[in-house]
Amino acid sequence: MAAATSLSKSQINRAGDYLAEAVGMADVDFVEWYDFKRNREARKIVSDYRAAHQRPLGNLSQGLRQIVRTETGKDPLVSQRLKRVPRILRKLSRMGHGGLARLEDIGGCRAVLPDGDALDRVKAHVERTWGPIIVARRRTVEEPTPMGYRACHLTVLKFDRRIEIQLRTQGQQEWADSIEASDSYHNLTLKDGVSPDSLRDYYCGASDMIYSQEYGRPLDPQSRERFDRARDLVIDQGYFRGKGE
């Protein structure tokens, strides 16, 4: 099998499409459709393509650590990861065909900053350092996703691979950690934006509260009341425990 660097985008996308299609199949359809040789070859392509993000990811993570240290004067809280193949395939199954070569977050590094001011300084420094190779920008700090996710994302094209840089405040990171914990404990997919209404309202309200505290923005009484109602509801539904329980 050819190395990932020698594969065309159409080969990479076909392999991703083939495996992503299997994600949504019922057992009986999967058995009738399954082709062992093709499945093995597709998995090799996807695995090799994923691994090809390791070098640019390590390069950018090292640079991001230096930037954070310069801007904050503290030991940087910077992490890096390659998205696991099952999560890649789940994302592709939602995107439709031809998505693997367009994914921007197979490789990602993240910096957790003390506050919003530090986040803005680091973002400006990243823009100065890698501006010519930044190919996408997404800032959801002021306008969060429907679930309440807030962060700053910058996609950098390094060694012909797209690597996502995430910048989060401490509060935004704690919010995201809580989402992952709920997913794991209750076998949910909140991280992918799929959730019961009660949990969506709770996490959206919690995000507003954190933003208000970290950025000094006033929180209107109606928002606080909605959050309190959502908090009581998720406790009643067994997603969380109340104080003293």
Side-chain angles (χ1 to χ4, degrees):
M1 183 61 61
T5 53
S6 63
L7 293 170
S8 68
K9 287 185 178 181
S10 61
Q11 287 176 296
I12 293 169
N13 285 332
R14 281 198 300 270
D17 291 346
Y18 178 80
L19 296 176
E21 187 176 351
V23 171
M25 281 192 170
D27 290 343
V28 61
D29 295 332
F30 180 79
V31 170
E32 294 175 352
W33 166 88
Y34 184 76
D35 181 326
F36 176 79
K37 181 180 179 181
R38 187 178 179 187
N39 183 279
R40 182 181 60 187
E41 292 176 347
R43 286 192 173 276
K44 179 69 165 57
I45 290 174
V46 172
S47 179
D48 287 350
Y49 182 66
R50 173 183 180 271
H53 291 73
Q54 185 64 64
R55 180 181 170 221
L57 173 59
N59 183 278
L60 289 172
S61 293
Q62 182 179 1
L64 183 60
R65 288 186 178 92
Q66 294 172 349
I67 289 173
V68 172
R69 186 177 290 109
T70 297
E71 294 298 334
T72 66
K74 300 178 181 179
D75 290 336
L77 294 175
V78 174
S79 59
Q80 66 181 60
R81 64 99 183 97
L82 286 177
K83 189 183 289 290
R84 295 177 180 176
V85 171
R87 281 195 57 81
I88 291 174
L89 299 183
R90 286 201 299 271
K91 187 166 185 176
L92 291 178
S93 70
R94 298 194 304 272
M95 292 175 60
H97 284 214
L100 181 55
R102 294 186 288 110
L103 284 185
E104 298 181 346
D105 60 348
I106 292 178
C109 51
R110 175 188 304 146
V112 180
L113 290 316
D115 50 43
D117 182 61
L119 187 152
D120 289 340
R121 294 199 310 273
V122 169
K123 176 181 179 295
H125 197 145
V126 168
E127 291 272 6
R128 293 195 303 271
T129 302
W130 292 311
I133 57 173
I134 294 176
V135 296
R137 296 167 174 82
R138 182 165 65 94
R139 184 178 172 92
T140 56
V141 173
E142 290 82 10
E143 297 182 5
T145 67
M147 193 71 194
Y149 177 79
R150 296 178 191 265
C152 177
H153 292 221
L154 300 160
T155 303
V156 177
L157 188 64
K158 186 72 172 180
F159 304 142
D160 201 34
R161 292 291 178 263
R162 293 173 183 262
I163 303 297
E164 182 182 69
I165 296 174
Q166 294 182 13
L167 306 178
R168 295 178 180 172
T169 64
Q170 185 64 45
Q172 291 161 4
Q173 181 61 39
E174 291 172 359
W175 180 95
D177 288 343
S178 179
I179 285 274
E180 291 197 9
S182 292
D183 273 353
S184 177
Y185 189 80
H186 297 291
N187 193 28
L188 298 170
T189 53
L190 306 175
K191 193 173 180 180
D192 293 330
V194 180
S195 71
D197 290 345
S198 57
L199 278 174
R200 181 198 62 222
D201 292 344
Y202 171 78
Y203 277 110
C204 190
S207 173
D208 289 342
M209 298 276 288
I210 293 169
Y211 177 69
S212 173
Q213 293 168 1
E214 288 190 322
Y215 286 83
R217 303 291 195 271
L219 184 70
D220 65 88
Q222 292 81 7
S223 295
R224 180 57 191 252
E225 290 175 6
R226 286 196 299 270
F227 171 73
D228 288 343
R229 287 197 299 270
R231 180 192 56 200
D232 292 342
L233 184 56
V234 295
I235 291 174
D236 289 344
Q237 293 174 342
Y239 292 114
F240 296 101
R241 292 181 179 180
K243 290 184 178 180
E245 294 185 15

